[in-house]
Each structure stands twice: as C-alpha cells, then as structure tokens.
Amino acid sequence: MSETEGKTPAEVLEAALAAWREALGEAHVILEPEALEAAQTATFATTQRIPAILRPADTVQVQACLRIAQAHGVPVYPVSGGRNWGYGSRVPSGDGSVLLDLGRMNRVLEHDEQLAYLTVEPGVTFRQAHAWLREKNSSTFITTIGGSPDASLVGNALERGDGRGPNADIFQHVCALEVVLPTGEVVRTGHARFPGAHAAPVFRWGLGPVLDGLFSQSSLGVVTRMTFWLSRKQPYLREFFCAVNDDAHLWSAVDRLQALALDGTLKGSFFFWNDLKAFSVTQQYPYASVGRTPLPDWARDQFREGFGRWAISGALSAPDAEIGALLERRLAAALDGAFQGVPTEANLAMTYWRKRTPQPEAPDPDRDRCGFIWCSVAVPFTSAHAKRGVEIADRVPRLFGLEPNLALLAHSPRCLYLVTALAYDRDVRGEDARAQACYRALTQELAQAGYFLTRAGLQAQELSPPVPDATTELVRTLKTVLDPWGILAPERSEN
C-alpha cells in the first residue's frame, strides 16, 4: 500500500481513478453528479456516498479494478443489475465505496438444449435471458422472480432470491462459478477449475470442498460467470387459484399442500397471498375514497368481496394431459374446490402502493421515491409455524400505521418463506423513520419466535442476532485471508 503513503484521501482517490481510467477507458469511469446521486438512492433512507462508478467489460477488467482498489486502499462495491429494490437497490454497505457496476458484462456464454443449462455473465437480466431462449426456439426456460425483469440472474442467485415455478430455489440450481477475489486472483468452482472438464456445467460438487456458497450473500469475491440449470417446458400446464375466507381453512390447506409438495404432485413453487398483497398489486392506495392511512377495515372488507382473506395460487405441470388430470384431481381434493419463465413487472406495482401519483410506464421505485422494504424469514412448512409467523407479521406493521402485506412462498416441500412488504411514500415526512422502526421491530419479534431472515439488505445492518457458535469468527477469518486490505464491500453484514 506504499502508493498511499503521504497522500490525502482525495489524492488517493484521484490516483486510483487515474489508474481505473487507464484500465477501463475514460467513458467507463463515471463521475457525473446525476449518475452518482441515482446510484445512492434506494427505496428507503440511506446515507452512503459513492465517489465514482466503474463499468468493466470483462473478467480481466474486473481483476484490474480490484488490484487497483487494493493498491490504493479504495473500497469498491459490486452490483450486477442494480435492481435489488426493497433490500438496498445498488447502494453500497459502506460510505465512500466506489460502485463496481457489472452491467456491461451481459453476454450469454453457453447454452445446451439437451442438458438444459445456460451460462451467463452478471449483466444478463431475466428479460434478456427469456428473449434469448425464445429467439433460439428453446424448449427450456429459467425461473422468473417477483422483482424486476431487468434484475440480474447472477445477482439474484447470489442473494439467494426465490423464483416462480420449477427451480424456485435459484441458488440450488447453479454451478461453475467464476470468481475474482479481492486480490484480483481468479477461482472457478466445481469441475470448472479443470481445463476442458466436460461435466463442469452439469456437476455442481466437483472434487474436494464445495466453495460456491462462500460467494453467496458475501463480500468474499466478485462473481463474473455462472451456469444456471433450466427447466423443460411441459406440454400440460394449468395455473390454479383458490380464494380462502376462513383462517382455519387456510391453515388446514397449508398442511395438505405441503403433503402434495413432498410427494411430487406440486413440483414448483406456489403461494399464499393475503388480501392486502393482492390489493397492492392490482391498484394503488384508495386515497380518494378513504382519505387517510392506514387502510381502514371497511375498505379492506370491500376488496375481500372479490378476493377473499387469502388466495392460494400456483401451477400444475405434467408431461401429458392424462397425468395432468390426475394431478388436478389430487389438488382439487386438497383445496376442496407466469409459471413457465415469462418475466413480468406486475409485482412492482406494490412499491407504488402509497404513492399519490400513478405508476409510470417504466417503473423505477428508486427514482420515484417509493418507500419499500422487504422482510423475508424462513418458516417450517407446517400450519402451526405458518400461523405463528403470520400472526406476528400481521400485527406488528399495524402498530406503525402500515398495512401488513403478506405472502407465504412454498420455497421447498419443507420450508416456507414468510415475506412481508412494508410499502409507504418517501415524500411523506417521517415515513422513512417509521418504516425502519417497523422493520426493526418485526425482525426482532420474528427472531425471538425462532424465525430468522433469509436475506439481509442494507435495512438489516446491525440487526443480526448474536451467534453463539464460531460461524462469525470463521467468516471474519476467511474475509481477512481473501480480502487482506478490506476493499471489497466493507461493512457488509455476513452473519
């Protein structure tokens, strides 16, 4: 770090910027105030400042960026699509971090139709991947997400996001990561580290310790390549929807559908939505008829007349109609009465729930000062646990004048995600602080009940509960070894 000796912080940054300009080209080291301001804006209050944005074109340039950062002691924070709305968008975890924007790295590198995989760079979005597979007339598809179609495949997988349909646990269905360490060195996981290994894109474990998980929800490296396992389109596809007006029936349905997921009748993800979540997707807050917040019970009751207290939705797929009909009968008995990879912006309507202006044709919750925070916790897939978690998530937002927008996502046959969306208007004075206080109270009460976060965005910093074993110390040790100067995403929580 001799290059920093005797220099002021401003001189250190300027020296690093000069080196980055040489490595990337003048046009890809961005200092314009408007661009920096946009990158510093999220769907909740943040204070971090970004001095510059770097836009590398390939892995070699990412290596150069990190080596320069290390030489000058200037922290960098990597983002892929920058659409991590509700968790911090593209705002760095630490103040003064230069944004390493991987959006230019948007190539589809490899596709195999028979083995059903797609290898991409971090700038490839769900919308782009869908269009690319459609253009190839592929019979395969990649799962979609509830967030923006312009979100990064790699970024979502690394944050362990959840999808719709098959392979909903996205990170469980990836392999062959290429990672640039903070030192600028490159590692490849699984068999990808062996030159010419034919099984690299189809065999996750490789030989020896499995490293993939080290780079998920962490600041231990920058992923520049990843292989996704695709699903095959099924000839038989039927979406289902069931309205539930009685809570007792809902909890009974949770157990019955869990049994169908475990025996393979329901192979993909499915969802339990409460009325407020459905309300916020179909329209904005009814200020004209209500006039105040939070939403009164009578307005909620009016919407329920066409929806119910809860709705259960998902899809059945099968290789032929005969098997599909059998699955339908099993599902109908259990219930008493966009699942093939097409990305959609429908769920983004939730972020505009409390805004008084209409959602624009090209939604951007950061730009439009939508207030939005996700709280997602893992819950065992039983009615008892689902009921207990929902009772907490339904009660706490009301204490802070927010609507309890709730969903239970069938993440696997054994685990549900209980997802609470806190939607508000950042243009209303004091709402940022109120929403943050609500998030803190909600996560703390859920944790006390034994339900812990699955994703921790910027809003969760310093909220991680104490860990009594050696996990935290082990992660710190790995961070020190892999990032000796602490230049990659400093202050990111990795508990």
Side-chain angles (χ1 to χ4, degrees), residues 159-178:
E159 287 300 314
R160 299 202 288 275
D162 54 273
R164 292 165 59 97
N167 298 358
D169 186 352
I170 297 174
F171 194 67
Q172 285 281 9
H173 297 89
V174 303
C175 68
L177 280 60
E178 177 183 79

Side-chain angles (χ1 to χ4, degrees), residues 235-478:
Y236 177 93
L237 179 73
R238 295 288 187 277
E239 296 193 25
F240 63 84
F241 176 91
C242 174
V244 180
N245 282 302
D246 178 74
D247 283 355
H249 184 78
L250 172 70
W251 306 130
S252 177
V254 166
D255 285 331
R256 291 197 298 270
L257 292 182
Q258 188 273 335
L260 294 187
L262 194 61
D263 70 17
T265 300
L266 292 172
K267 297 178 182 178
S269 59
F270 51 95
F271 311 88
F272 305 82
W273 286 21
N274 79 341
D275 51 355
L276 285 166
K277 180 176 176 65
F279 205 176
S280 68
V281 169
T282 57
Q283 68 175 73
Q284 290 177 269
Y285 193 93
Y287 288 107
S289 59
V290 174
R292 62 178 176 83
T293 60
L295 193 72
D297 288 342
W298 64 261
R300 188 172 177 180
D301 289 340
Q302 281 185 350
F303 179 76
R304 282 176 177 167
E305 291 177 7
F307 180 83
R309 292 174 61 84
W310 287 80
I312 304 170
S313 65
L316 286 172
S317 61
D320 58 53
E322 184 177 352
I323 295 176
L326 174 62
L327 297 181
E328 271 198 52
R329 288 195 295 273
R330 300 199 71 194
L331 177 63
L335 292 176
D336 295 332
F339 290 90
Q340 287 218 39
V342 181
T344 172
E345 292 178 336
N347 268 0
L348 293 184
M350 286 192 297
T351 64
Y352 289 82
W353 165 243
R354 284 275 191 101
K355 296 298 291 185
R356 292 180 178 269
T357 52
Q359 177 182 321
E361 186 175 337
D364 186 333
D366 293 334
R367 177 199 63 206
D368 299 331
R369 291 185 57 78
C370 299
F372 198 76
I373 300 176
W374 285 116
C375 175
S376 180
V377 298
V379 176
F381 202 150
T382 70
S383 58
H385 283 293
K387 181 180 180 182
R388 187 179 182 194
V390 164
E391 286 173 346
I392 295 170
D394 185 75
R395 173 172 46 80
V396 173
R398 297 173 191 275
L399 301 177
F400 292 85
L402 297 171
E403 290 80 27
N405 175 327
L406 308 181
L408 290 163
L409 314 181
H411 189 250
S412 78
R414 297 172 179 83
C415 183
L416 294 165
Y417 279 177
L418 169 57
V419 181
T420 308
L422 305 178
Y424 61 102
D425 185 354
R426 295 198 64 208
D427 287 324
V428 176
R429 191 173 185 178
E431 287 296 89
D432 270 324
R434 184 203 302 266
Q436 289 279 12
C438 178
Y439 179 81
R440 286 193 298 271
L442 179 59
T443 55
Q444 288 169 359
E445 186 161 343
L446 286 167
Q448 289 167 0
Y451 308 120
F452 294 89
L453 292 173
T454 64
R455 293 175 68 177
L458 288 182
Q459 73 273 31
Q461 289 192 117
E462 302 177 0
L463 288 181
S464 297
V467 178
D469 67 4
T471 301
T472 302
E473 190 58 39
L474 174 60
V475 173
R476 287 176 182 161
T477 300
L478 290 170

Side-chain angles (χ1 to χ4, degrees), residues 8 17-18 30 34 46 60 114 140 142 158 161 201 203 254 269 310 337 351 419-420 424 428 450 453-454 465 470 485:
T8 66
L17 290 172
I30 299 170
E34 296 82 1
T46 60
V60 171
Q114 179 179 357
T140 64
I142 192 160
L158 291 176
F203 181 50
V254 166
S269 59
W310 287 80
T351 64
V419 181
T420 308
Y424 61 102
V428 176
L453 292 173
T454 64
W485 300 109

Side-chain angles (χ1 to χ4, degrees), residues 100-219:
L100 187 64
D101 182 345
L102 307 178
R104 285 178 69 206
M105 300 175 62
N106 61 356
R107 296 180 299 162
V108 174
L109 301 173
E110 188 177 355
H111 171 243
D112 190 293
E113 182 72 9
Q114 179 179 357
L115 296 174
Y117 67 79
L118 189 74
T119 303
V120 301
E121 292 181 322
V124 174
T125 67
F126 285 89
R127 191 192 304 274
Q128 179 187 349
H130 171 70
W132 193 93
L133 290 169
R134 184 178 56 192
E135 182 180 328
K136 299 294 182 184
N137 198 28
S138 175
S139 65
T140 64
F141 67 97
I142 192 160
T143 188
T144 59
I145 60 172
S148 171
D150 296 313
S152 159
L153 269 69
V154 170
N156 184 272
L158 291 176
E159 287 300 314
R160 299 202 288 275
D162 54 273
R164 292 165 59 97
N167 298 358
D169 186 352
I170 297 174
F171 194 67
Q172 285 281 9
H173 297 89
V174 303
C175 68
L177 280 60
E178 177 183 79
V179 187
V180 181
L181 300 179
T183 57
E185 300 166 288
V186 172
V187 298
R188 297 177 180 88
T189 66
H191 274 181
R193 71 184 190 270
F194 299 123
H198 295 298
V202 296
F203 181 50
R204 188 178 192 191
W205 308 121
L207 187 68
V210 179
L211 302 179
D212 304 55
L214 288 177
F215 306 106
S216 170
Q217 293 190 3
S218 85
S219 61

